[in-house]
Amino acid sequence: MAYPTVDAPYGLKPVNLIGGQVFAGQTRLMEIASGYATSIFYGDLVQRVAAGTIEKDVGTATATPIGVFLGVQFTNGSTGQVQQQQFYPASQSIKSGTKIFAYVADDPDTLFQVAVVSSGTTITGVGISAIGNNTTLVQNAGSTTTGNSAVAVTAATAVTATLPIRIIDVVRDTATAADNFPEIIVKINATMHQYNNATGI
């Protein structure tokens, strides 16, 4: 059976949890500050900030996320209608007295599928020896058409303990050669996830 070619990154997509537990769509509602001026796309990493709200985590080798953004709801300031959508548009106007809430996959045990790039959005792959190593994020701009992230990880892996992403497995279904895997399964490294980091915000 032929599988689709991976031609562009798509952010981090939750697939299951460590130990084979099922990811059943569990999310936590987290507030985005009114007027926050950065778009957040489906599959982007987010982090809690001192104000108690969340923002896009733009880190690459030093990201400290609380989870992955999976959508947003707010009351539109122009129409007065409640909107649920794939991405948060920068500086979104909301109805006075209301708040913006993001859906965030925040379980530290969540595993994510993600594309591997050489740089930017250029898809490449890693070999099976990458499993167990760490890697960095590549922060590409998401799409306001689809609402999807374009965040990826780099093919340059390392044992460096401070890198934010741990490679758990490869996706064999989309391999382009016997030992070249353009998609991998990852988790947020334990001490980088805000729930597991003993230092407060």
Side-chain angles (χ1 to χ4, degrees):
M1 179 178 179
Y3 287 88
T5 300
V6 181
D7 57 4
Y10 46 79
L12 282 77
K13 181 173 70 174
V15 290
N16 62 0
L17 280 70
I18 285 288
Q21 303 171 75
V22 174
F23 176 76
Q26 304 96 321
T27 57
R28 186 178 304 279
L29 286 177
M30 299 186 182
E31 186 177 347
I32 298 173
S34 177
Y36 178 59
T38 300
S39 294
I40 312 176
F41 296 90
Y42 188 99
D44 277 350
L45 290 149
V46 292
Q47 63 183 178
R48 184 81 72 179
V49 296
T53 54
I54 61 165
E55 297 179 355
K56 177 178 166 62
D57 190 333
V58 298
T60 54
T62 58
T64 53
I66 199 166
V68 170
F69 177 92
L70 298 179
V72 67
Q73 67 176 33
F74 55 85
T75 302
N76 190 294
S78 300
T79 66
Q81 299 296 309
V82 175
Q83 290 181 218
Q84 294 177 320
Q85 58 187 50
Q86 192 91 336
F87 80 104
Y88 165 77
S91 306
Q92 174 65 48
S93 168
I94 61 171
K95 183 179 179 181
S96 177
T98 65
K99 296 183 181 297
I100 306 165
F101 287 102
Y103 298 91
V104 179
D106 67 337
D107 189 329
D109 286 340
T110 305
L111 300 182
F112 301 93
Q113 183 171 308
V114 65
V116 181
V117 297
S118 54
S119 64
T121 60
T122 303
I123 298 294
T124 183
V126 295
I128 197 168
S129 63
I131 296 173
N133 283 335
N134 298 326
T135 189
T136 60
L137 294 156
V138 179
Q139 296 281 358
N140 300 302
S143 168
T144 56
T145 301
T146 65
N148 291 333
S149 171
V151 168
V153 296
T154 179
T157 63
V159 297
T160 310
T162 55
L163 294 179
I165 301 296
R166 169 64 58 88
I167 300 171
I168 303 298
D169 204 351
V170 295
V171 177
R172 289 168 170 78
D173 290 342
T174 52
T176 57
D179 194 36
N180 191 71
F181 304 94
E183 294 179 301
I184 56 178
I185 304 299
V186 303
K187 74 181 294 291
I188 299 168
N189 244 337
T191 55
M192 304 303 129
H193 194 292
Q194 286 185 304
Y195 288 161
N196 292 334
N197 190 327
T199 304
I201 299 169

